[in-house]
Amino acid sequence: MGQSVIVYHHADRSAAVDQQARRRLADFAAGVPIVPVAAVRASRGTNRLFLVGAASAAHAQYLTVRLTALQHSPWAGELIVYRPG
């Protein structure tokens, strides 16, 4: 449908959260016909991952710019961005 998507993943104890983020991004890339942009980890309270995927190259670029800005914002201490690859 040409829509981008964000998928919620509640981190578990199967592996370290950064490993789970990279694994889920790989699963996302293999299972959905969109470009995986990043996983964003929110760790206040319990660890949660938000997998961000874009339906088009233009939207992927926009999301990448916004996530880069997030990494340099006051929220940088609360939210960690993992890139695919």
Side-chain angles (χ1 to χ4, degrees):
M1 294 177 57
Q3 296 174 329
S4 296
V5 64
I6 297 176
V7 176
Y8 173 86
H9 171 73
H10 191 90
D12 55 31
R13 295 181 185 194
S14 65
V17 178
D18 62 331
Q19 292 173 326
Q20 289 183 59
R22 296 186 197 300
R23 192 178 310 146
R24 293 299 156 259
L25 282 170
D27 292 346
F28 196 44
V32 182
I34 62 174
V35 178
V37 175
V40 179
R41 175 184 177 180
S43 57
R44 182 176 283 193
T46 59
N47 284 300
R48 294 155 328 276
L49 295 170
F50 297 91
L51 307 171
V52 180
S56 69
H59 202 209
Q61 178 63 28
Y62 172 79
L63 291 169
T64 298
V65 168
R66 300 307 306 151
L67 289 169
T68 299
L70 175 69
Q71 290 178 290
H72 297 93
S73 76
W75 286 98
E78 299 289 331
L79 303 170
I80 299 169
V81 178
Y82 299 95
R83 306 284 179 186

